[in-house]
Amino acid sequence: MELERVGEHEFVASNGRGASVRIGRKGQEGSFSPVELLVAAAAGCALVTSETLILRRTGGETLTAVADAVQSESGNEVISIPVTLSYDLSAVDDPEALETVVRRAVEQFCTVTRTLKQSATAPLQLPTPLQTTSDPL
């Protein structure tokens, strides 16, 4: 993943497969804030992980997720990201069994939510100043 500054408070994240996303400050037009990307990653991971299980059992094509960041009082940390999946249960014989399978799959295979549960670290590396040698007088 590579990020490049493209303007004041504007960045573009790109991957090696040709996809990109604009990142900016909260409320900035045409971009996602870093927290919004974190929320989208949690919801997206749950959707990607459960998609085949859900669509195979529901026979439908509609599958959506809604997620939001619950932030601390200071607003400087996310303390929870509730994710709600929505899909049609009208063709499902045993909705409780489907819920069990979906929960298990997301809990076992969704890398993003598993990482969030473990409070992954994000070590920051900064450039080091160039070493200069000085001649003694």
Side-chain angles (χ1 to χ4, degrees):
M1 177 73 58
E2 185 174 321
L3 279 85
E4 179 181 355
R5 183 175 186 262
V6 295
E8 185 178 3
H9 310 305
E10 293 182 85
F11 305 86
V12 173
S14 304
N15 65 20
R17 297 181 310 279
S20 63
V21 63
R22 285 186 103 55
I23 302 171
R25 290 189 173 184
K26 182 179 178 181
Q28 188 170 7
E29 287 296 316
S31 65
F32 287 93
S33 74
V35 171
E36 289 169 330
L37 288 172
L38 180 65
V39 171
C45 190
L47 282 173
V48 168
T49 301
S50 62
E51 176 185 29
T52 302
L53 292 169
I54 292 169
L55 296 182
R56 185 182 317 141
R57 287 167 176 81
T58 64
E61 287 295 319
T62 304
L63 174 58
T64 61
V66 175
D68 198 13
V70 177
Q71 294 187 286
S72 65
E73 287 184 26
S74 69
N76 292 327
E77 64 184 6
V78 175
I79 56 175
S80 179
I81 302 174
V83 175
T84 302
L85 298 182
S86 297
Y87 45 89
D88 184 7
L89 289 172
S90 62
V92 177
D93 294 332
D94 190 352
E96 290 175 0
L98 177 57
E99 178 183 337
T100 300
V101 170
V102 169
R103 278 190 192 283
R104 187 179 315 133
V106 171
E107 289 171 0
Q108 290 179 354
F109 302 112
C110 179
T111 304
V112 175
T113 56
R114 289 175 56 86
T115 301
L116 289 169
K117 284 181 186 177
Q118 297 201 9
S119 298
T121 62
L124 178 63
Q125 295 181 4
L126 301 174
T128 56
L130 296 175
Q131 296 288 330
T132 59
T133 58
S134 59
D135 292 331
L137 297 176

